[in-house]
Amino acid sequence: MSSETTSTPVPVGKLLKADSIASIYRADIEASIKAFASSPSHSRKPKLVGILATDSKPSEMYAEFTRKTCEDIGVEFVLKRVGAAVKKEEGDAGSVGSNGEGVELAIIEANEDVGVDGMMVYYPIFGGLQDHYLQQLVSPYKDVEGLNIKFHFNLYHNIRFIKPQSLASATSSALTGASPTAPTNSDIPPEGTIKSILPCTPLAIVKCLEFMGVYNILLPYGDRAYGRTVTVINRSEVVGRPLAALLSNDGARVFSVDIDSVQEYNKRPASSTPTGPSRLYYPRHVVNSSSNTLEQCLALSDVVISAVPSASYKVDTGALKDGCICVNVSSEKNFEKDVREKASLYLPSVGKVTIMMLLRNLMRLTNYQDILKQETSKSNEQQ
């Protein structure tokens, strides 16, 4: 009898869909919406305003997707079209506005409208510093996308819990006594504080990784990604860079790869001392340049996340570590068709989870606003 065994085809990794992850958060969001609507102080649906200022088709599709999700879940969604997003009426020979025309005024009006609970702006509009200015123009009490500098400061400095009143201050958290959040056994905010808002797309990716088992729930909150090595491709200010910081602040070793450089984000960076190499531990991530190539990063990485907005860009399947987890964030497919021959799990889209995080941010912001009103009322009574 022959001792040889019959070979079988190598099994491919599992293809995941964002729907199953988004559904986990939907029930809690719906409960928050119902509580808001039934509250005597509101007696209405929460209201989200979207501002569209370009004729970009991806932005138009995202706005429509947001509208459908809001209507389905019980949020009033109003799309404010300005500039090039204003559609000409049939037979109208007049010209529409240019990209970005009227967007600043639309943001100011939404900030001042007490009936508006949250606001999102569909970027890019101008690009660069002009878009950054618009992001800071949005009130932090209505910033469902978490792009305001106060939220970014908290993210990069690992400040997870804040007092809502601090958002009304012109000073940063560093000047109001806030400090990085040390690992703890609970993610429940200490008394008198609430969780700081996080950018919805990076947060959605973190939630997807939690679902896929990247985070170890046996470890303390704030360090549950310890032991994982992650590569994030594209260091944009909207997704890539804040995502690398989030994962590193949760304990992961993160390689942030961009066109011209590779950086390492780590709370436990290696350090040379007179007596030899040592490891340090910081309350938040530190960033150092890395001499690794993309291929070397991929070979080390348990998780690979790509967010390159280009149809021609593809991550080489052959360079991936066997059994890794791959997440595509771009509207384009950044991974090759055979990615599951190396990846154990592959998530081709996070959009539906991003919308859930955006709506969760909306409901947290309504809570911020309620707390601020209560504090203001108490202060007025004491005077």
Side-chain angles (χ1 to χ4, degrees):
M1 179 182 290
S2 173
S3 61
E4 294 181 0
T5 58
T6 304
S7 63
T8 59
V10 177
V12 297
K14 186 177 180 63
L15 177 67
L16 298 178
K17 291 187 177 181
D19 306 62
S20 56
I21 306 173
S23 64
I24 296 171
Y25 301 96
R26 185 180 180 109
D28 285 343
I29 294 168
E30 288 178 332
S32 297
I33 292 169
K34 288 179 181 178
F36 178 92
S38 61
S39 169
S41 60
H42 297 293
S43 300
R44 60 175 176 82
K45 293 179 180 180
K47 184 175 181 179
L48 174 65
V49 169
I51 299 175
L52 185 62
T54 71
D55 57 1
S56 163
K57 288 187 177 180
S59 293
E60 183 83 40
M61 291 172 61
Y62 187 22
E64 178 61 16
F65 181 47
T66 307
R67 182 190 65 79
K68 288 181 177 179
T69 305
C70 286
E71 288 181 356
D72 188 44
I73 206 169
V75 170
E76 180 185 357
F77 178 73
V78 176
L79 181 62
K80 175 74 172 177
R81 294 177 178 272
V82 296
V86 177
K87 293 182 177 180
K88 290 189 292 185
E89 298 295 332
E90 186 175 351
D92 182 5
S95 61
V96 296
S98 59
N99 279 345
E101 183 180 342
V103 65
E104 181 180 29
L105 179 59
I107 292 173
I108 293 171
E109 288 177 344
N111 279 340
E112 295 176 348
D113 188 343
V114 295
V116 172
D117 302 296
M119 178 192 338
M120 63 184 302
V121 182
Y122 295 96
Y123 301 103
I125 300 173
F126 302 104
L129 291 176
Q130 281 184 277
D131 279 3
H132 179 71
Y133 163 72
L134 294 174
Q135 289 163 6
Q136 306 321 306
L137 192 61
V138 175
S139 166
Y141 290 102
K142 299 188 179 185
D143 180 17
V144 297
E145 297 175 282
L147 299 177
N148 188 278
I149 188 64
K150 294 186 179 182
F151 295 136
H152 270 201
F153 181 93
N154 292 341
L155 184 161
Y156 288 121
H157 289 78
N158 200 19
I159 297 169
R160 301 176 185 232
F161 308 122
I162 63 170
K163 294 182 178 181
Q165 305 91 310
S166 67
L167 298 177
S169 170
T171 57
S172 70
S173 299
L175 301 178
T176 55
S179 58
T181 303
T184 175
N185 291 325
S186 174
D187 64 349
I188 299 175
E191 186 176 353
T193 68
I194 53 179
K195 285 188 175 181
S196 183
I197 295 293
L198 293 171
C200 50
T201 300
L203 177 60
I205 297 166
V206 168
K207 295 304 179 185
C208 290
L209 296 182
E210 288 179 350
F211 178 85
M212 291 186 279
V214 173
Y215 280 58
N216 187 343
I217 61 173
L218 298 179
L219 295 177
Y221 169 72
D223 212 31
R224 289 175 178 166
Y226 176 47
R228 303 294 191 180
T229 299
V230 182
T231 290
V232 178
I233 304 173
N234 189 6
R235 200 180 307 126
S236 73
E237 292 299 322
V238 175
V239 178
R241 184 166 173 253
L243 174 62
L246 275 177
L247 294 171
S248 183
N249 284 339
D250 279 337
R253 180 191 187 193
V254 183
F255 291 111
S256 173
V257 180
D258 210 49
I259 295 174
D260 58 353
S261 65
V262 177
Q263 296 177 343
E264 181 177 338
Y265 290 53
N266 206 333
K267 288 200 299 188
R268 296 174 170 86
S271 176
S272 297
T273 67
T275 58
S278 67
R279 292 179 67 203
L280 304 174
Y281 181 82
Y282 292 93
R284 62 182 178 92
H285 73 281
V286 294
V287 182
N288 290 301
S289 61
S290 173
S291 60
N292 285 349
T293 64
L294 170 61
E295 289 71 24
Q296 290 172 324
C297 294
L298 295 177
L300 294 169
S301 293
D302 307 297
V303 179
V304 178
I305 302 162
S306 187
V308 180
S310 170
S312 62
Y313 180 81
K314 303 294 178 186
V315 177
D316 179 14
T317 300
L320 295 171
K321 178 181 177 181
D322 280 330
C324 68
I325 292 172
C326 292
V327 179
N328 179 73
V329 182
S330 172
S331 57
E332 310 292 348
K333 295 293 181 278
N334 286 171
F335 291 90
E336 296 176 324
K337 291 182 179 180
D338 63 352
V339 61
R340 288 193 288 151
E341 292 184 10
K342 294 290 284 290
S344 59
L345 298 173
Y346 173 53
L347 182 64
S349 172
V350 300
K352 292 185 177 180
V353 185
T354 298
I355 289 291
M356 287 299 111
M357 294 302 103
L358 184 145
L359 293 176
R360 192 171 79 155
N361 280 349
L362 172 67
M363 300 318 298
R364 284 189 174 171
L365 288 171
T366 63
N367 187 33
Y368 282 18
Q369 294 171 33
D370 286 344
I371 292 174
L372 187 65
K373 289 175 184 176
Q374 293 170 8
E375 292 295 329
T376 302
S377 178
K378 288 180 182 178
S379 177
N380 290 338
E381 290 175 0
Q382 293 173 355
Q383 291 178 354

